Amino acid sequence: MTNKPATGVIHIIGLGPGDNALLTDDARAALAEATDLIGYVPYVARVADRPGLTKHASDNRVEIDRANHAFELALQGRVVAVVSSGDPGVFAMAAAVFEGLDFGPSEWRSVPVHVHPGITAMLAASARAGAPLGHDFCAINLSDNLKPWDLIEKRLRLAAQADFAMAFYNPRSKSRPEGFGRTLQVLQEECRDARPVIFARNVSLPDETIRIVPLNECTPNMADMRTVVLVGSSQTRVLDRPMGPIVYTPRTAPKARS
Ligand code: SAH
């Protein structure tokens, strides 16, 4: 027998978009094992209290502190669940935990870390609307907390020129409320058409709303931090039906002209 300290484990878990029916069995099993739960206040609140589970809820924007806390607890032998909404690899805690590990003490590298995927907001939203992401698409985080606005605008322009459908996360950041208005201006300039834009708010929750608006009629107040925005490509179509429209992007693209 050696006297090595007990090593726990870190599970980085995606809680899905909100509805418990969209939480995977794998995530549920990992949550059931946890002794400690780390995450942003509203996500930690989504996990039911039970004996033996200690919750460590924190405010937004302290991702690296959470990551460090997770390793400290795991080295004490705890089974730590770090939770994110949607998928933890999409603008969320998984990269933050690995960044903590990258720059943290070398002893942290002996801690097992497992990532449990979840249904990310853009996929839950796209399923509600039809299949707007059926061809090539990209996902852009419109928050400029962690990157300069110039870079966001460059990516937007190039994505529009490349005719990707797009998904926007964090469309209106508190620190830069004008950012989404600027986003719409850039798209309206680059695309010059009435392609459908989907504003999907609180997807899978009881107050879910899905609005489909032509690009040239979109206004900044249509999105907030609870909204994921999907923008079609030039090929995206709206199918009208008596029970409501379907938005889809065909799987084939027109041949490029030589
Ligand atoms: N890891 C998360 C994204 C975190 S960034 C995921 O994979 O979904 C937070 C942003 O995600 C929000 O600003 C919003 O744009 C989007 N979002 C998360 N849950 C949502 C939901 N239920 N409905 C609509 N958008 C959601």
Side-chain angles (χ1 to χ4, degrees):
M1 289 281 285
T2 59
N3 283 331
K4 271 188 17 184
T7 304
V9 56
I10 297 176
H11 294 288
I12 309 172
I13 302 171
L15 297 178
D19 181 353
N20 264 339
L22 298 181
L23 181 72
T24 69
D25 284 348
D26 167 66
R28 215 183 291 278
L31 284 170
E33 261 185 40
T35 60
D36 294 79
L37 190 63
I38 292 181
Y40 179 36
V41 178
Y43 305 151
V44 166
R46 272 166 57 179
V47 179
D49 290 324
R50 62 172 161 79
L53 179 68
T54 309
K55 289 181 165 179
H56 310 268
S58 49
D59 207 349
N60 220 346
R61 301 202 194 182
V62 292
E63 284 84 357
I64 294 291
D65 297 347
R66 279 188 214 134
N68 297 346
H69 192 192
F71 283 104
E72 282 157 16
L73 289 170
L75 281 174
Q76 293 163 23
R78 316 284 297 179
V79 178
V80 184
V82 179
V83 291
S84 287
S85 74
D87 182 87
V90 179
F91 310 129
M93 281 308 299
V97 168
F98 292 124
E99 197 177 327
L101 180 60
D102 197 2
F103 297 100
S106 57
E107 58 171 339
W108 288 5
R109 299 203 178 199
S110 61
V111 174
V113 182
H114 304 286
V115 183
H116 302 267
I119 297 177
T120 188
M122 71 177 174
L123 297 185
S126 109
R128 287 288 194 259
L133 306 179
H135 192 73
D136 297 343
F137 66 91
C138 65
I140 301 178
N141 183 350
L142 291 184
S143 164
D144 60 356
N145 289 339
L146 302 173
K147 63 187 168 188
W149 177 259
D150 288 355
L151 181 61
I152 299 176
E153 190 163 326
K154 178 179 174 189
R155 288 182 178 159
L156 274 173
R157 259 185 216 289
L158 293 175
Q161 287 167 17
D163 203 16
F164 282 113
M166 298 175 217
F168 300 140
Y169 286 77
N170 296 308
R172 264 169 111 189
S173 74
K174 285 194 195 100
S175 60
R176 196 185 167 103
E178 70 274 26
F180 187 59
R182 184 77 195 118
T183 299
L184 290 176
Q185 262 178 16
V186 170
L187 290 179
Q188 285 161 349
E189 249 170 67
E190 292 290 338
C191 305
R192 297 186 181 282
D193 60 15
R195 68 187 58 190
V197 177
I198 298 151
F199 294 90
R201 185 169 194 280
N202 279 344
V203 177
S204 87
L205 293 161
D207 56 347
E208 169 183 295
T209 56
I210 309 283
R211 287 177 78 181
I212 302 167
V213 183
L215 175 58
N216 54 338
E217 291 173 24
C218 291
T219 55
N221 60 351
M222 291 176 178
D224 65 6
M225 287 303 272
R226 297 298 310 150
T227 309
V228 65
V229 182
L230 306 182
V231 181
S233 74
S234 66
Q235 303 302 305
T236 302
R237 298 173 59 78
V238 182
L239 265 179
D240 280 319
R241 298 185 315 162
M243 61 288 263
I246 282 183
V247 182
Y248 82 101
T249 307
R251 297 186 57 206
T252 44
K255 285 214 171 86
R257 287 200 212 116
S258 47

